[in-house]
Amino acid sequence: MATLRYDKTGRLLFTKEMKKEYTLLMPMMLPIHFGFFEEIFKLHGYRAVILDTTGQDIIDEGLRSVHNDFCYPALLTTGQLLHALKSGEYDINKTALVMSQTGGGCRASNYIHIIRKALKNQNLEHVPVISFNLVGIEKNPGFKMTPKIVAQLTYAVVYGDLLMWLSNQTRPYEKNIGDTDKLLAHWMNAIKKEIRRSKSFLPKAANKKFIQIAKDFQAIDRTEEERIKVGVVGEIYIKYAALGNNNLEEFLHNEGVEVVMPPLLDFALYSLNNVIVDSRIYHKGYLRAAIVKWLFQFLYSLQDKVNTAITHHSDFRPMQSFERIKELVKGYVDTGNKMGEGWLLTAEMLELIDAGIYNIICTQPFGCLPNHIVGKGMIRRIKQNHPEANIVAIDFDPGATKINQENRIKLMLATARRNMQSHSAPTFALGGGK
Amino acid sequence: MKHVGVDIGSTTVKVVVLDEQYHILYKYYARHYSKVRTEALQVIKKIRSLLQDEPFTIAITGSAGLGTAKHTGIEFVQEVFATRIAVEHFIPSADVVVELGGEDAKIIFLTGGSEERMNGTCAGGTGAFIDQMATLMNVSVAELDKLSFSHQKIYTIASRCGVFAKSDIQPLLNQGAQKADIAASIYQAVVDQTITGLAQGRRIQGTVAFLGGPLTFLKGLQERFRESLELGDGAIFPDDAQYFIAIGAAMHSVNSPVTTYDDVLHRLTDAAYAKTTIETLPPLFSSKEEYEAFQHSHRTDDVEYDDIATYQGSAYLGIDAGSTTTKMVLITEDHKILHSYYALNAGEPIPIVLEQLKQIYALCEDRISIKGSAVTGYGEDLIKNAFHIDTGLVETMAHFRAAQHFNPDVDFIIDIGGQDMKCFKIRNNVIDSIVLNEACSSGCGSFIETFAKALGYNIQEFTSLALRSSHPVNLGSRCTVFMNSSVKQAQKDGASVEDISAGLAISVIKNALYKVIRANSADDIGKNIVVQGGTFLNDAVLRSFELEVGRKVTRPSIAGLMGAYGCALIAMDHKKEVSSLLNLEQLNNFSHTSQATTCTACTNRCKLTINTFEGGRKFISGNRCERPLGKTEKRVVPNMYEFKLNYLTSFVSQEGRFGKIGIPFALNMYENLPFYHAFLTDLGFEVVLSDVSTRDMYQLGQHTIPSDTVCYPAKLVHGHIENLLQKGLTTIFYPCMPYNYDEKKGDNHYNCPIVAYYPELLHANIGALNHVNYYYPYLSPHDRRAFEKQAFAFFSERYPITKKDVRLATSAAYEAYDAYKEAIHDFGYQTIKYAEANDLDIIVLAGRPYHVDPEVHHGMDKLITSLSLAVISEDALSPVVDKQPSTVVNQWTYHSRLYAAARYIADKDHMHLVQLVSFGCGLDAVTTDEVRSILENEGKIYTQIKIDEINNLGAARIRIRSLLAAIDQLKERKIK
């Protein structure tokens, strides 16, 4: 068995030896994307497992192990990891945990320490916790983010985004129920297979695949019926993870709504963009910014390719270009606002409105600090400038009840329906100043 | 054709039948006592004759109606939407609709940009809130309403949340404030919440329709709305206001499929008897044997009694004047109880104690002489002064004394009373860790009782139902407001009262364990646990606790009397020849009146209650310091909070070539003011500061706060901006600062997201800022070179300045900042020396720079100095501590200072740390655990005080006094 080794500060390291023997557990956020991530990690010799567990036990575990004033994502991810450790499915002497870390000014950069504290309290200190980040915090000899892995993960994000983006646009309209999910499963398998097959997975044929995916989804038999479109923005985990948002996507789908989930790549572009903006504001880090700029361009060109595939080979709505998003947020918050989702959150609301999607759910963990500013704090101004915007802010929390959340979303949907009707048949006028 | 609307709210069900012209043919209103579906069915059965002959349309609405609608397939319409339909038809002139329901509050703006809003998750209830408050005051809601009309003054009561409001009201009741005033203040809190939480800056003006049950029935509430909003004739309180949602639903149903009576009856019957799937918890007892074993095991913790009618000798009296109950115990020399008393005090402890004392004297005759008396609890000071009790002591000590009597090895005590929870650990016979609940755990005990009543049971019945529950529902553990809405969901899902009762007991315990104690495991708590407080007399609560911690605990049979019993024991410890307690004759002449007033001696504006007893004896309560008591001579104890405030408000401004520039004196300006004041002055501005925060200023800006869960210091900035605008300033400076000064104590030097970006939020939410020069550039004083560039870029675009101007101004800024830091450090050093020379203890009142704002700390510093303790702040100590590793990410400047200060005092016997934490400060979830562990690793006691807009120092006083008592005990042991 691998020996436990520590660094100078006393942090338990994940060693090369461990890489061979240990199973790596990671919390789930986006099923499509994270499914690909799992394959990539396996490709590089990690026994990675993305946890798709759900249920009250996870929340209870989180409540027990995390300071209850901490935000809900911390509670859920820690809960999910600890719950898995205790499930008996994994050998606790041969398991490590992986958690993402941004190093930003939001308290989320503390998640990793919260997990360690929880482990310590439950006498599981021997379980290594690996910080998954791209900025070089907490290095581990057995877990290295090589350029290759980063590039592959990037492609995985792009594929994931495209599949999520298109399937959301076909699912509510498909004539044969299940077509979308069948196609989605087909492509997820195909991409996973490709990951497994080729060590390189820097697909030259990626562009071809983008086009093929667009064509395949275009081929799904769909109704012409007009549906209400609802955009979901917010704190990244709560926005995406079904465990965090009480299966929000499923709820909306059952309400007959087309859900619009902003792509994950935007968050990556946002993170890179912050480095560039920082060098401008704080007058330093120019070299780093130059390198990041190059990376940014690479990602940006990928997004561009995907969008070209969508617009040329299907009639689906393309994703908003990141440069456009940046443009939209002017006059609201500065792009120097970088804690948590920062300016991107405000921008996501604006890009939805820009694309004609006026109904928006702004999700956040109860008491989320950055969202006070960039979420709830900007809604008033957005509504002033876009009276057609129909935004509801929903807090998520272990104590918040689904009924309260659903009732508020239903109110938003009722307004959306009325707006849609009055749009198509303007029989009764709304409002009108006095 | 007829149209039927069914509105199932959180507490009531309303049904209307309309004809084609929307005239009301039938209306029905009743409480559903959580039997949602059966009640809906019953109503429909009642109107058979009206509906059975011809087809009709029907729609369901309301927060608890969702499940019923889903199950039956009957059309559902969201209630705000339904309200809107009805109002547009019946009150076409309405501009705004305010609708308060049992637990939801809604506002609809119909003109000038249509908008609908509901209260956020944390906004608490409204109707249910008023119900709860009435129960607290021991009056019916109708009486409360009547009382409110004869009010003379309004107290500020936190309006954000029912739990908070309760914490504000309780001390008022205990201080003897007039019920009429409190009643009106409760209404005012509801009004304030509507204006700030709901309308959030949009003015409620024009023609306003008020709907919903509370606004229909409560005339006093109507009055408060009319007055506060200055609506005059614009306020409309329509007939049938409680039916409007149901009417809207009926109108909405016009477009839904036509149905028949039999069909609806069939669907509802189906739903009423359907099994529902809800997440449930394991039962409290899996078998009858288990229950009996449980019963048996708790029989042993009894106390002995003696007969007061025959006993001869000395006796000792203990009084626990709690927040909702008054408890009294008279014991013999050998600890037996002669007489005990436990009753709700209905907010008036004095008459109850008076009555009981008379009775006790009568029972004692000449056989028994009382040789000592002691009092504890919220009403300690008042009762002590009123009846000349010998000893007053803090609650924690009383409980500890009593618990030790039952289990000498006790190492953990948890007391859940009506309002408060207290837990403390005992190490080496000394209380070494005290945890009191925060607002979010407030009122858990009385919550069960209130709920029992609301469902039509008394507490005993309600408890016995819980014991029989087979599938307790999971109701969460955040706070009673959240539990309340979880119950709503459970009701919607058709949970039984048994399961709800058991679920409540479990929730209260989970709240205590996870939110208050923050326990990780049973061993973490203790091996010899004593549980007490009235709430533990509930067997369901006791059982939940044992199940959750996984071990048997001691519950004395007098669990509800432990405070009083402990007092009696301590009275005996301090026994005298004759107790100073008023004798029977004095009691017969006793009289008491109380009067409320506001102290004007300083800016704290304490709300005082002047109690006058017979012969003109007076007792003043509500004060933070001695000044209103007429004692001008007091020992001057060093107070760094006062020093800092004086320093920051004493900058002199001079006229400048660029005119006036305003700075809001709030949030990070408590740190950065010296820097920016000097910088702007040197650059050529006349700097004008907003006034020091007050509650009034807060209210001035309250309507532009977009997020009601942000911290109070941030909320205050809105008022400061309004204050500057009122001063006529046309240029306002408030920079964004993601980074703070780098003091090299951590891995980075961030500000929190709120401090960093709040200026941007202000810009987006305070409309008036669009009409003035509002400067909110990104500046980073941590890097002088960068700062100069940023400042030059920003100001040279607007003013004719040179790079040199900026460089000189920057120098002045850093000089001023360094001088300020130096002064703080120096004051800290002097204080330590002074304390040593005068044998004083020092409290490091640790927090964030803006906690110096007197409206933020509510006079905490003076409270501490009044107990003869010196006060310094964390940043006085941090400069002399080196960077050390921590178990959390240490990348915020303010946090680094906290950790450093904690390390500094860890080995100092005469220094203690009290951490101030603003409610809603997410980052302090990180710091509190870390500071605690730094202190506890060195055997120090950690004390945390949460502060918010709540203006109640009662809980803080208990904490600090408990800390002092524990410190004294520790010192005594060391001497021995």
Side-chain angles (χ1 to χ4, degrees):
Chain A
M1 213 176 80
T3 44
L4 300 183
R5 288 206 290 123
Y6 300 85
D7 77 353
K8 275 185 298 190
T9 65
R11 173 171 63 89
L12 177 59
L13 294 170
F14 185 76
T15 59
K16 285 182 181 159
E17 223 182 325
M18 287 173 175
K19 183 181 169 183
K20 289 177 202 140
E21 304 175 355
Y22 275 48
T23 303
L24 296 184
L25 302 181
M26 310 179 189
M28 166 63 88
M29 192 166 81
L30 276 164
I32 306 174
H33 301 66
F34 279 51
F36 298 153
F37 294 175
E38 193 176 64
E39 289 300 330
I40 293 169
F41 282 121
K42 281 183 187 160
L43 176 73
H44 291 271
Y46 301 99
R47 302 157 183 245
V49 176
I50 308 274
L51 297 167
D52 55 2
T53 44
T54 57
Q56 184 64 33
D57 289 352
I58 290 176
I59 299 173
D60 285 344
E61 189 62 57
L63 278 169
R64 267 194 294 274
S65 16
V66 180
H67 191 308
N68 282 205
D69 285 347
F70 223 93
C71 49
Y72 196 32
L75 208 133
L76 285 174
T77 47
T78 309
Q80 192 173 40
L81 290 170
L82 262 78
H83 177 257
L85 274 184
K86 292 175 170 180
S87 67
E89 262 185 66
Y90 309 96
D91 179 352
I92 52 164
N93 294 316
K94 285 184 179 177
T95 305
L97 309 179
V98 182
M99 186 68 216
S100 62
Q101 196 178 14
T102 59
C106 169
R107 54 178 157 161
S109 45
N110 257 305
Y111 286 7
I112 201 131
H113 297 274
I114 283 169
I115 295 169
R116 288 205 183 106
K117 258 189 191 171
L119 289 173
K120 190 175 169 193
N121 285 330
Q122 313 210 7
N123 297 321
L124 291 166
E125 273 174 291
H126 61 280
V127 176
V129 187
I130 300 166
S131 167
F132 173 64
N133 68 78
L134 302 175
V135 285
I137 321 172
E138 292 199 353
K139 295 199 165 87
N140 283 296
F143 188 86
K144 287 213 169 82
M145 280 294 101
T146 61
K148 197 185 223 171
I149 298 184
V150 174
Q152 291 172 342
L153 289 174
T154 307
Y155 272 98
V157 171
V158 175
Y159 276 125
D161 279 348
L162 179 61
L163 290 173
M164 175 175 79
W165 188 255
L166 297 185
S167 59
N168 276 339
Q169 288 189 61
T170 56
R171 200 177 288 112
Y173 304 98
E174 61 190 11
K175 279 191 182 153
N176 304 314
I177 305 292
D179 273 4
T180 302
D181 287 329
K182 238 182 270 165
L183 183 62
L184 181 61
H186 161 77
W187 271 109
M188 282 175 69
N189 277 332
I191 292 165
K192 281 182 186 171
K193 217 182 260 169
E194 190 186 338
I195 295 171
R196 278 194 292 269
R197 224 179 12 225
S198 89
K199 285 252 177 233
S200 69
F201 186 57
L202 285 179
K204 270 190 196 131
N207 208 15
K208 252 190 199 161
K209 276 216 182 66
F210 296 158
I211 293 170
Q212 192 54 48
I213 290 171
K215 281 183 176 166
D216 281 1
F217 276 92
Q218 176 67 22
I220 289 180
D221 201 6
R222 286 165 288 154
T223 64
E224 295 287 301
E225 218 174 310
E226 196 184 348
R227 294 208 181 267
I228 290 169
K229 297 183 181 72
V230 175
V232 180
V233 302
E235 187 279 330
I236 190 162
Y237 181 84
I238 295 292
K239 169 173 69 174
Y240 288 134
L243 183 62
N245 61 30
N246 280 335
N247 297 305
L248 181 61
E249 250 185 291
E250 191 187 306
F251 170 77
L252 289 172
H253 184 69
N254 291 338
E255 289 288 319
V257 160
E258 179 190 331
V259 184
V260 184
M261 279 281 174
L264 183 60
L265 192 71
D266 281 351
F267 190 81
L269 285 165
Y270 155 82
S271 305
L272 295 175
N273 190 63
N274 286 343
V275 179
I276 303 167
V277 173
D278 271 2
S279 75
R280 197 190 70 214
I281 296 180
Y282 304 108
H283 300 278
K284 62 165 127 191
Y286 295 112
L287 181 67
R288 190 159 164 248
I291 299 167
V292 164
K293 212 169 198 163
W294 180 83
L295 259 173
F296 178 90
Q297 285 304 338
F298 168 65
L299 259 67
Y300 189 69
S301 70
L302 270 178
Q303 189 188 43
D304 200 46
K305 276 183 195 149
V306 168
N307 266 339
T308 313
I310 295 174
T311 44
H312 288 198
H313 301 278
S314 74
D315 53 13
F316 295 114
R317 192 175 54 251
M319 302 173 199
Q320 287 268 30
S321 108
F322 191 77
E323 291 301 328
R324 171 79 185 145
I325 297 174
K326 245 161 63 180
E327 196 60 35
L328 287 169
V329 83
K330 278 187 183 155
Y332 291 89
V333 285
D334 195 276
T335 47
N337 191 323
K338 58 164 184 175
M339 296 184 193
E341 282 59 45
W343 64 268
L344 180 67
L345 206 169
T346 311
E348 280 180 343
M349 292 194 264
L350 291 162
E351 70 160 293
L352 285 163
I353 294 167
D354 191 50
I357 298 152
Y358 304 126
N359 312 305
I360 298 169
I361 300 175
C362 178
T363 64
Q364 56 260 310
F366 179 87
C368 174
L369 295 177
N371 277 27
H372 285 309
I373 317 252
V374 294
K376 289 178 178 173
M378 290 300 139
I379 292 177
R380 181 191 308 238
R381 178 150 283 223
I382 292 176
K383 280 190 174 173
Q384 251 165 28
N385 296 344
H386 304 277
E388 68 281 17
N390 176 25
I391 308 174
V392 62
I394 305 284
D395 287 354
F396 291 86
D397 179 271
T401 54
K402 210 171 167 181
I403 184 171
N404 261 335
Q405 294 160 350
E406 287 182 0
N407 200 15
R408 277 153 187 79
I409 295 169
K410 285 212 165 220
L411 172 60
M412 187 273 292
L413 291 175
T415 309
R417 287 199 185 98
R418 188 188 58 212
N419 290 347
M420 192 161 87
Q421 274 164 18
S422 68
H423 207 65
S424 50
T427 42
F428 67 101
L430 286 177
K434 222 191 161 184
Chain B
M1 199 185 329
K2 295 188 184 89
H3 309 294
V4 182
V6 182
D7 171 17
I8 310 178
S10 54
T11 40
T12 56
V13 57
K14 283 118 330 198
V15 177
V16 295
V17 181
L18 305 181
D19 68 11
E20 261 159 43
Q21 281 74 46
Y22 300 148
H23 295 128
I24 299 179
L25 299 174
Y26 175 84
K27 56 191 180 188
Y28 178 83
Y29 181 103
R31 290 202 163 214
H32 56 56
Y33 295 111
S34 88
K35 295 161 194 147
V36 172
R37 294 178 185 192
T38 38
E39 186 62 29
L41 180 64
Q42 292 314 316
V43 190
I44 291 296
K45 281 184 179 164
K46 274 192 189 132
I47 47 177
R48 164 176 239 136
S49 56
L50 203 60
L51 297 177
Q52 65 182 356
D53 295 336
E54 53 167 343
F56 58 93
T57 66
I58 182 169
I60 295 179
T61 183
S63 53
L66 196 57
T68 313
K70 244 187 213 165
H71 199 103
T72 55
I74 294 172
E75 173 81 6
F76 178 81
V77 51
Q78 209 280 346
E79 72 252 32
V80 179
F81 208 69
T83 310
R84 186 180 177 127
I85 297 171
V87 171
E88 280 175 348
H89 184 80
F90 288 101
I91 317 172
S93 67
D95 296 292
V96 185
V97 182
V98 174
E99 203 255 300
L100 301 185
E103 277 164 27
D104 285 330
K106 298 132 204 169
I107 195 160
I108 310 174
F109 295 97
L110 295 160
T111 57
S114 127
E115 194 172 356
E116 291 108 349
R117 287 208 197 117
M118 290 179 76
N119 55 331
T121 35
C122 207
T126 51
F129 164 60
I130 297 170
D131 277 0
Q132 250 181 350
M133 295 303 126
T135 312
L136 188 67
M137 291 172 66
N138 204 25
V139 294
S140 71
V141 175
E143 285 165 330
L144 181 91
D145 196 43
K146 217 163 129 195
L147 274 170
S148 74
F149 280 99
S150 52
H151 78 272
Q152 283 168 348
K153 64 176 296 183
I154 302 264
Y155 292 97
T156 29
I157 290 174
S159 60
R160 168 141 67 90
C161 156
V163 175
F164 278 22
K166 220 165 153 182
S167 311
D168 262 358
I169 291 167
Q170 199 68 62
L172 287 172
L173 286 171
N174 293 331
Q175 284 159 19
Q178 291 301 315
K179 279 192 167 182
D181 294 343
I182 297 178
S185 308
I186 289 168
Y187 284 166
Q188 190 64 44
V190 174
V191 174
D192 290 347
Q193 181 56 30
T194 307
I195 295 173
T196 57
L198 269 185
Q200 292 179 356
R202 273 192 75 165
R203 294 257 174 232
I204 305 175
Q205 57 192 6
T207 304
V208 183
F210 292 92
L211 305 177
L215 279 166
T216 312
F217 301 120
L218 306 176
K219 304 293 174 207
L221 185 59
Q222 295 184 356
E223 198 48 45
R224 293 257 47 82
F225 266 102
R226 205 180 275 134
E227 205 173 285
S228 306
L229 296 173
E230 297 171 5
L231 290 173
D233 293 340
I236 297 181
F237 296 93
D239 297 337
D240 299 326
Q242 72 272 37
Y243 295 107
F244 258 70
I245 308 181
I247 292 170
M251 291 170 67
H252 175 84
S253 76
V254 170
N255 299 320
S256 26
V258 173
T259 180
T260 62
Y261 180 77
D262 289 339
D263 180 48
V264 170
L265 187 71
H266 178 72
R267 285 163 186 265
L268 278 172
T269 312
D270 240 23
Y273 299 107
K275 275 218 164 91
T276 47
T277 49
I278 34 176
E279 229 158 334
T280 58
L281 305 164
L284 295 175
F285 297 100
S286 55
S287 66
K288 203 164 171 240
E289 291 73 43
E290 216 174 65
Y291 175 66
E292 277 162 5
F294 167 81
Q295 286 285 323
H296 184 76
S297 72
H298 284 285
R299 268 188 210 131
T300 48
D301 306 314
D302 285 352
V303 68
E304 284 183 75
Y305 290 81
D306 207 331
D307 188 0
I308 195 167
T310 57
Y311 176 77
Q312 289 202 346
S314 311
Y316 305 89
L317 177 71
I319 304 174
D320 182 355
S323 56
T324 48
T325 53
T326 299
K327 287 127 320 196
M328 295 172 71
V329 165
L330 188 70
I331 60 167
T332 66
E333 203 83 48
D334 48 359
H335 317 299
K336 290 178 184 164
I337 292 182
L338 285 167
H339 179 81
S340 70
Y341 175 79
Y342 180 108
L344 290 172
N345 59 26
E348 285 175 8
I350 287 192
I352 287 178
V353 174
L354 178 66
E355 194 47 48
Q356 275 301 307
L357 283 178
K358 285 183 185 170
Q359 250 190 52
I360 288 172
Y361 273 123
L363 289 166
C364 286
E365 299 175 335
D366 294 332
R367 285 173 287 112
I368 304 170
S369 62
I370 297 175
K371 293 215 165 149
S373 56
V375 59
T376 190
Y378 265 111
E380 174 197 332
D381 289 338
L382 181 60
I383 298 294
K384 182 171 185 243
N385 280 279
F387 300 104
H388 290 189
I389 309 289
D390 298 287
T391 312
L393 64 148
V394 63
E395 293 155 76
T396 41
M397 297 314 284
H399 287 296
F400 177 36
R401 182 70 183 81
Q404 251 186 338
H405 181 76
F406 287 93
N407 185 345
D409 297 327
V410 60
D411 56 6
F412 187 84
I413 301 169
I414 173 164
D415 179 289
I416 305 184
Q419 195 63 20
D420 289 330
M421 281 187 201
K422 299 175 270 288
C423 319
F424 29 105
K425 284 186 190 173
I426 290 111
R427 194 151 46 178
N428 302 328
N429 273 322
V430 170
I431 297 179
D432 90 338
S433 156
I434 304 154
V435 186
L436 280 96
N437 65 284
E438 295 150 5
C440 284
S441 300
S442 240
C444 271
S446 56
F447 180 63
I448 296 186
E449 200 164 336
T450 311
F451 220 95
K453 272 191 198 165
L455 294 177
Y457 297 91
N458 69 37
I459 183 70
Q460 285 77 18
E461 291 164 358
F462 197 64
T463 305
S464 60
L465 286 175
L467 301 174
R468 288 208 297 269
S469 157
S470 49
H471 301 287
V473 283
N474 187 357
L475 301 170
S477 59
R478 182 181 266 282
C479 71
T480 55
V481 177
F482 278 66
M483 288 178 208
N484 222 9
S485 66
S486 295
V487 172
K488 189 164 73 179
Q489 168 137 1
Q491 289 173 342
K492 180 204 84 171
D493 294 335
S496 71
V497 178
E498 283 86 353
D499 294 340
I500 289 175
S501 176
L504 281 174
I506 295 168
S507 282
V508 167
I509 288 309
K510 281 192 174 163
N511 180 293
L513 285 172
Y514 303 143
K515 281 206 74 75
V516 183
I517 309 174
R518 309 239 326 90
N520 290 306
S521 65
D523 293 331
D524 209 34
I525 298 174
K527 293 196 168 58
N528 293 286
I529 302 171
V530 173
V531 303
Q532 52 186 53
T535 307
F536 272 112
L537 289 173
N538 178 333
D539 278 346
V541 172
L542 176 64
R543 177 65 176 175
S544 311
F545 187 82
E546 290 192 339
L547 286 177
E548 205 67 38
V549 301
R551 64 169 43 128
K552 186 188 173 296
V553 302
T554 307
R555 176 189 65 182
S557 58
I558 52 162
L561 295 172
M562 292 290 275
Y565 192 68
C567 275
L569 292 170
I570 285 172
M572 193 186 317
D573 296 344
H574 297 191
K575 73 174 113 185
K576 295 180 178 170
E577 261 322 292
V578 187
S579 167
S580 61
L581 187 68
L582 295 186
N583 61 33
L584 189 57
E585 194 192 329
Q586 288 166 317
L587 287 177
N588 285 330
N589 294 328
F590 183 87
S591 74
H592 170 241
T593 53
S594 69
Q595 192 198 347
T597 181
T598 305
C599 176
T600 52
C602 78
T603 51
N604 273 331
R605 294 273 179 270
C606 296
K607 301 263 193 252
L608 303 178
T609 307
I610 302 175
N611 296 278
T612 312
F613 306 109
E614 78 289 341
R617 273 199 303 135
K618 274 192 171 45
F619 172 69
I620 297 176
S621 62
N623 54 307
R624 292 177 179 76
C625 69
E626 272 80 49
R627 278 156 93 173
L629 309 184
K631 294 179 198 160
T632 42
E633 258 182 74
K634 60 169 185 178
R635 200 158 140 208
V636 183
V637 179
N639 178 349
M640 184 175 271
Y641 272 52
E642 206 169 51
F643 169 78
K644 274 185 170 181
L645 188 67
N646 288 338
Y647 192 106
L648 293 170
T649 49
S650 63
F651 289 117
V652 184
S653 296
Q654 57 214 31
E655 270 183 43
R657 56 182 170 142
F658 300 135
K660 291 181 178 175
I661 193 164
I663 294 183
F665 187 39
L667 221 58
N668 51 319
M669 278 302 163
Y670 274 89
E671 167 85 11
N672 298 313
L673 184 67
F675 184 90
Y676 288 120
H677 195 285
F679 178 78
L680 293 170
T681 304
D682 198 87
L683 211 56
F685 289 98
E686 178 184 348
V687 179
V688 181
L689 213 55
S690 59
D691 300 329
V692 174
S693 311
T694 62
R695 179 90 182 192
D696 286 346
M697 197 196 283
Y698 164 59
Q699 278 164 342
L700 201 63
Q702 215 176 357
H703 62 278
T704 56
I705 299 168
S707 182
D708 59 357
T709 46
V710 76
C711 62
Y712 190 50
K715 288 177 176 173
L716 278 168
V717 192
H718 294 256
H720 283 274
I721 297 286
E722 297 289 345
N723 181 261
L724 288 171
L725 292 168
Q726 277 184 352
K727 289 183 179 202
L729 284 153
T730 51
T731 304
I732 293 174
F733 175 79
Y734 190 35
C736 293
M737 293 186 34
Y739 294 94
N740 209 318
Y741 303 102
D742 186 1
E743 294 173 349
K744 315 275 184 211
K745 307 280 181 218
D747 303 325
N748 207 329
H749 45 92
Y750 282 119
N751 274 316
C752 77
I754 303 299
V755 165
Y757 308 120
Y758 216 72
E760 293 188 311
L761 178 144
L762 297 172
H763 177 249
N765 288 276
I766 303 179
L769 286 180
N770 293 324
H771 310 298
V772 297
N773 299 316
Y774 177 52
Y775 298 157
Y776 60 116
Y778 276 56
L779 295 176
S780 52
H782 67 275
D783 181 338
R784 184 169 186 153
R785 215 172 48 90
F787 175 80
E788 273 181 31
K789 283 186 185 171
Q790 294 159 345
F792 179 72
F794 186 83
F795 284 99
S796 66
E797 246 179 51
R798 293 163 176 84
Y799 299 91
I801 52 160
T802 62
K803 278 193 175 161
K804 193 180 166 203
D805 292 339
V806 172
R807 197 164 62 243
L808 291 175
T810 305
S811 290
Y814 279 103
E815 261 168 46
Y817 182 68
D818 290 343
Y820 179 51
K821 292 274 108 175
E822 186 65 36
I824 291 172
H825 189 54
D826 198 49
F827 189 92
Y829 180 70
Q830 298 297 341
T831 303
I832 293 171
K833 273 199 354 198
Y834 178 91
E836 270 170 17
N838 293 278
D839 197 25
L840 281 183
D841 275 18
I842 297 174
I843 297 284
V844 180
L845 196 53
R848 292 153 188 272
Y850 43 83
H851 285 145
V852 167
D853 187 336
E855 178 56 27
V856 171
H857 66 60
H858 299 302
M860 198 72 65
D861 56 338
K862 294 211 173 82
L863 174 78
I864 296 172
T865 53
S866 79
L867 297 166
S868 287
L869 294 157
V871 170
I872 61 174
S873 55
E874 72 293 340
D875 49 352
L877 304 174
S878 57
V880 296
V881 181
D882 293 331
K883 182 181 170 181
Q884 281 173 37
S886 63
T887 62
V888 292
V889 176
N890 182 4
Q891 56 171 16
W892 291 268
T893 301
Y894 296 160
H895 298 199
S896 307
R897 291 178 187 166
L898 288 171
Y899 305 150
R903 287 204 181 90
Y904 181 89
I905 67 138
D907 60 350
K908 311 272 188 302
D909 282 345
H910 294 279
M911 295 180 84
H912 318 286
L913 187 139
V914 172
Q915 188 177 3
L916 290 180
V917 174
S918 287
F919 189 85
C921 181
L923 281 167
D924 272 341
V926 183
T927 65
T928 48
D929 274 2
E930 181 69 7
V931 171
R932 174 194 294 274
S933 76
I934 293 171
L935 290 176
E936 290 186 349
N937 283 344
E938 300 291 330
K940 296 286 277 192
I941 299 173
Y942 171 79
T943 307
Q944 182 200 126
I945 295 177
K946 268 215 174 165
I947 44 178
D948 194 36
E949 58 176 285
I950 310 182
N951 193 352
N952 164 26
L953 291 177
R957 191 186 282 270
I958 294 176
R959 252 168 247 226
I960 292 171
R961 284 187 58 199
S962 302
L963 171 70
L964 292 181
I967 292 166
D968 283 347
Q969 272 193 318
L970 266 176
K971 281 184 186 158
E972 270 171 39
R973 289 178 58 85
K974 277 196 180 161
I975 292 164
K976 279 176 196 167

